[in-house]
Amino acid sequence: MHKNLIAGRWLDGTGVRENLSPSDTNDLVGLYAQASADDTQSAIAAAEHAQPLWAAKPPQQRADALDFIGAEILLRREELGTLLAREEGKTLPEAIAEVVRAGQIFKFFAGEALRIPGEHLDSVRPGIEVDVLRQPVGVIGIIAPWNFPIAIPAWKIAPALAYGNAVVFKPADLVPGSAWALSEIIHRAGLPDGTFNLVMGRGSVVGQTLVESPRVKALSFTGSSDTGRRILHSAGARFAKLQLEMGGKNPLVVLNDADLEQAIECAVQGAYFSTGQRCTASSRFIVEKGIYRRFSEGVQARLQALQVGHALHADTQIGPVAEQGQYEQNLAYVDIGLSEGAVLACGGRPLQRDTQGYYMSPALFVDAEAQMRIAQEEIFGPIACAIPADDYEHALQLANASPYGLSAGICTTSLKYAAHFKRHMHSGMVMINTPTAGVDYHVPFGGTKGSSYGSREQGRYAAEFFTTVKTVYTHA
Ligand code: NAP
């Protein structure tokens, strides 16, 4: 049984979770302890005790610990990638790439631990000098979703530790395996006991306890907008520092002058790989009328040739949906699209494979309208809809007509339209002739509108959330 890590000790919880593979629900990945609210409180207390000890360590020690973690993750990429693919269902190459990214993130923040920024200025008053210091926030609660079981925890835990904070980490209940393996590595990195704690279990128990505890000074959350809103109301009311990364309904605009093959590739890669379970996945193709038919037919042909299957099989291009609830929701959205009058060009059906898993064919709706639910609501599956647009201005207007603003793409050979889109698209990330999903780890990540709340994640911008600024005036 895989236990929780609290105050440097591996402890049983009050229940056990069976971690089952979505590729084969008869494949038991492992048994994982479920923490109670009391266990979570113990982890918070341990973190509160350890945080000043960790913050007092020389930066070199923090850098070395993060470097150790990153190096081991990279060394074990195949093994950790296999575990990830098995428990979440993304294909083995996708899972190994995610593990590599997690390792690179720890390496990046190992360097950042040595470069914690500060400023020194002369005061406007004679004889006084001003220092602007960045200091740790304290205990950070980290709440992660299931779709990136190691990379998202990595991009929250690594900066939290680099800047001298202590962590209580709650992974998604669905995928505790990768989180446990990561935590086991962190446990051996030489941190004072209690600096990093793992509490596995349900959001309504473990997550809620983190959200409500006044000793948790900041919460970094990634997940659905509904949960994010609940956290904002609860933790915001006690003035906790919040970083909420939430949903998306990301558009890919395709103009008449686009390179057709490139546009089809961007669409298929961006919308359907990782089974469409990426917050940055394209789910609305907004296509100028002159290229609309050729684009839709091209995407359809590519989808029909994709191999859907077991995450660990070598020829699989699209793995199963990660869990039963999401699977049923995807199929329900296919029915919603049909009832709204969109045309299902292909896919959207359950598939039988040799093993009992959540398999479905990737779906493309054509002739969808912007106000349809399938064009407005986040589905989070391998389903996208194509919406015709009169011209570039119309396409931009449709692209911006969403409560979300995470990632947005445009396929065009026109510098004029690309430059305009870059400035006028209301999203945190803009992709030009490249898929909406797929980002670098050393630059800021996040969105606008209902997609994100608080400061950006990743890269040097992470310092904004994981430190607090102190201004010091010294009369020499
Ligand atoms: P979710 O249901 O909101 O869950 C996210 C996390 O919050 C899980 O660990 C969950 O615990 C926990 N949680 C649930 N209720 C809670 C509560 N009352 N208090 C505190 N924590 C609570 O989201 P999901 O289904 O795992 O992930 C899919 C969503 O994540 C999609 O909307 C996707 O767009 C979004 N996402 C966004 C980004 C981004 O960077 N913008 C990246 C990836 C995913 P349980 O494990 O018990 O459910």
Side-chain angles (χ1 to χ4, degrees):
M1 207 224 342
H2 299 80
K3 301 183 179 186
N4 292 306
L5 178 62
I6 298 173
R9 295 169 58 217
W10 294 103
L11 300 175
D12 288 322
T14 47
V16 178
R17 177 172 181 95
E18 288 189 338
N19 184 1
L20 301 174
S21 170
S23 297
D24 177 0
T25 54
N26 293 312
D27 176 19
L28 177 65
V29 178
L31 297 176
Y32 292 84
Q34 294 262 294
S36 65
D38 284 348
D39 296 332
T40 311
Q41 292 290 4
S42 300
I44 296 168
E48 198 175 44
H49 174 76
Q51 190 272 321
L53 305 175
W54 177 238
K57 299 284 181 204
Q60 186 65 54
Q61 201 166 327
R62 297 207 294 272
D64 289 347
L66 292 173
D67 192 64
F68 167 90
I69 298 163
E72 181 160 335
I73 293 171
L74 292 173
L75 198 67
R76 292 171 54 192
R77 64 184 69 183
E78 301 271 342
E79 171 212 339
L80 295 173
T82 304
L83 170 65
L84 199 163
R86 210 172 139 206
E87 74 170 344
E88 198 269 351
K90 63 183 64 171
T91 65
L92 187 57
E94 288 171 336
I96 292 173
E98 182 183 335
V99 169
V100 168
R101 182 166 179 196
Q104 288 165 332
I105 288 166
F106 274 96
K107 291 268 189 183
F108 176 86
F109 282 105
E112 289 303 282
L114 299 171
R115 285 189 289 267
I116 297 179
E119 280 182 279
H120 179 86
L121 300 91
D122 286 342
S123 168
V124 292
R125 291 170 283 161
I128 292 182
E129 296 188 345
V130 183
D131 291 296
V132 182
L133 310 179
R134 283 198 177 268
Q135 296 193 302
V137 180
V139 176
I140 313 268
I142 289 177
I143 301 177
W146 49 258
N147 65 329
F148 283 93
I150 196 164
I152 290 180
W155 80 53
K156 296 176 186 297
I157 294 167
L161 295 177
Y163 296 115
N165 302 286
V167 168
V168 181
F169 167 40
K170 182 224 150 340
D173 203 22
L174 187 71
V175 288
S178 302
W180 190 91
L182 172 63
S183 301
E184 195 277 328
I185 296 171
I186 297 174
H187 179 54
R188 287 185 282 102
L191 281 52
D193 287 348
T195 304
F196 173 82
N197 304 271
L198 168 72
V199 274
M200 298 175 286
R202 297 217 312 277
S204 55
V205 178
V206 176
Q208 194 66 31
T209 305
L210 289 173
V211 168
E212 288 174 359
S213 170
R215 295 189 287 178
V216 175
K217 299 300 177 209
L219 285 151
S220 181
F221 161 86
T222 298
S224 64
S225 299
D226 283 350
T227 310
R229 194 173 291 110
R230 277 206 294 280
I231 292 175
L232 177 60
H233 284 147
S234 176
R238 64 173 178 83
F239 304 123
K241 196 170 185 185
L242 294 178
Q243 181 177 58
L244 309 173
E245 288 298 340
M246 300 168 284
K249 190 72 191 171
N250 309 293
L252 177 72
V253 169
V254 180
L255 298 186
N256 286 340
D257 65 14
D259 175 326
L260 181 63
E261 285 313 309
Q262 186 181 54
I264 291 168
E265 194 56 29
C266 285
V268 173
Q269 288 284 344
Y272 300 100
F273 279 75
S274 299
T275 324
Q277 296 168 157
R278 292 183 286 188
C279 52
T280 48
S282 314
S283 56
R284 297 181 289 149
F285 305 138
I286 300 171
V287 189
E288 225 181 334
K289 284 180 176 159
I291 198 172
Y292 183 82
R293 286 289 151 215
R294 284 178 294 142
F295 170 82
S296 302
E297 285 165 14
V299 172
Q300 185 180 339
R302 281 276 278 120
L303 293 187
Q304 284 167 334
L306 286 178
Q307 295 295 320
V308 178
H310 193 295
L312 296 177
H313 290 179
D315 57 353
T316 296
Q317 292 169 291
I318 307 281
V321 176
E323 56 133 359
Q324 188 171 354
Q326 183 67 54
Y327 183 65
E328 287 166 1
Q329 181 176 305
N330 292 350
L331 296 174
Y333 266 108
V334 173
D335 290 340
I336 290 169
L338 289 169
S339 69
E340 288 179 310
V343 176
L344 187 60
C346 65
R349 302 287 178 223
L351 294 175
Q352 299 298 321
R353 291 294 179 261
D354 292 344
T355 51
Q356 189 77 39
Y358 304 118
Y359 299 107
M360 68 175 283
S361 48
L364 174 68
F365 279 104
V366 293
D367 299 342
E369 289 171 18
Q371 76 285 357
M372 289 178 176
R373 285 183 62 193
I374 56 164
Q376 285 292 325
E377 298 172 11
E378 183 182 50
I379 300 174
F380 216 58
I383 301 171
C385 59
I387 305 168
D390 298 335
D391 52 22
Y392 167 73
E393 285 73 22
H394 185 212
L396 178 64
Q397 180 215 322
L398 292 174
N400 274 327
S402 167
Y404 296 107
L406 190 57
S407 181
I410 187 167
C411 290
T412 179
T413 49
S414 157
L415 185 59
K416 180 178 110 177
Y417 290 131
H420 189 273
F421 189 80
K422 187 164 72 174
R423 287 188 181 278
H424 297 279
M425 183 63 221
H426 303 154
S427 61
M429 292 172 286
V430 167
M431 311 293 187
I432 299 168
N433 294 322
T434 187
T436 58
V439 296
D440 287 1
Y441 65 86
H442 65 306
V443 290
F445 177 94
T448 59
K449 299 194 275 185
S451 290
S452 298
Y453 180 90
S455 51
R456 290 284 186 267
E457 299 201 89
Q458 302 195 56
R460 284 163 46 209
Y461 283 68
E464 213 42 57
F465 181 74
F466 290 101
T467 63
T468 182
V469 169
K470 183 181 281 175
T471 312
V472 181
Y473 295 87
T474 307
H475 194 171

